[in-house]
Structures are given as C-alpha cells and as structure tokens.
Amino acid sequence: MKIRTILPAICVALAFTLGGHAFAHDGQAETVIPKFDQAIGNIPGKSFRVVEVDYAPGAASPAHSHAKSAFIYAYVLAGAIESKVNDGQTRIYKVGDSWFEPPGAVHSVSRNASKTKPARLLAVFVVDADETTLTTPIK
C-alpha cells in the first residue's frame, strides 16, 4: 500500500483517538500540543511524531522552518488554514484538506484564515529520532 493512501487514514484515526484541544486565547500565535511520539521499528533512527496545532481566530505562527530531516504531512481538522511552503502559492486549506512539507522546507505563512472561528490541524512528522527541535523561527 502506498504511503499517500495510508497517511490520511492514519491522521484521521489519530485525530479521533487522541482527541483534546486547547485554543490560544491571545490571537497572536498557535498552541502546539504533542500527541504521539514513537520510534519506527523498521526504519532505524527514525521517529513518527504527531502534534496538534490550534489557532484562535486571527492567530498566526511566525515564519519558520522544520527539522532538516522532517517529512511533514499536515491535515486540517477544523476551520481553515492559510499556508505557504517554500516558493509555492499561498493557499487556504479547509477541513479534510492536506499538504506535504519536504525536509528543510520554509513555512513562511501559517495562520488561521478566519478572524472569527478557530482552526486546528494535525501535523505528522517522520524525523530523525535524535532530532529535538521540530520548528525553528526564521529571523
């Protein structure tokens, strides 16, 4: 089975299984909640990490990059997320939409597309097991 066909199913299953959320209340940034961290047994040195990112209405993340080893799959659980990765277009993703970020990608836009409703996404990382910093702000 191809990874493209199983990742959406994994994300949806994790979202329902792991549950819970806490929205940021200051409207300035996101709230990141670790949900899952597991070594991948058949890929030595790699881990599978999942975080839930909650955005209050109008909230945004500062421009950032992710771990150089990280393959990232993002899946919108609630609301709408405006996102721009590398030199791609700025897009708005709605519930059920997803995107991929390659290792070393620059995420210049990541925000709630709504000023009135919260938004939430699940970010799935396949990353080097010894990687401790998943996100680094760009200055």
Side-chain angles (χ1 to χ4, degrees):
M1 186 176 281
K2 291 184 179 182
I3 199 154
R4 277 187 167 168
T5 58
I6 62 170
L7 272 179
I10 290 170
C11 289
V12 171
L14 282 170
F16 287 112
T17 304
L18 298 171
H21 54 79
F23 289 99
H25 295 289
D26 60 9
Q28 298 301 310
E30 79 284 359
T31 300
V32 179
I33 304 161
K35 293 292 190 176
F36 187 79
D37 187 351
Q38 179 68 46
I40 302 174
N42 61 344
I43 308 176
K46 293 290 185 181
S47 286
F48 183 66
R49 296 189 185 139
V50 179
V51 297
E52 182 180 294
V53 183
D54 293 337
Y55 289 98
S61 301
H64 59 275
S65 62
H66 292 289
K68 296 287 184 205
S69 67
F71 289 88
I72 303 162
Y73 174 82
Y75 182 86
V76 180
L77 298 170
I81 305 288
E82 187 172 8
S83 179
K84 177 180 173 136
V85 178
N86 290 331
D87 293 328
Q89 290 183 312
T90 301
R91 292 190 49 194
I92 294 178
Y93 297 90
K94 298 179 180 175
V95 174
D97 291 341
S98 61
W99 69 92
F100 171 78
E101 297 181 34
V106 173
H107 204 161
S108 58
V109 176
S110 184
R111 65 177 156 244
N112 187 338
S114 172
K115 302 280 187 210
T116 60
K117 297 178 183 176
R120 186 170 70 242
L121 68 86
L122 202 63
V124 178
F125 292 73
V126 174
V127 66
D128 287 350
D130 62 354
E131 193 74 61
T132 57
T133 303
L134 295 179
T135 303
T136 303
I138 296 174
K139 298 177 184 190

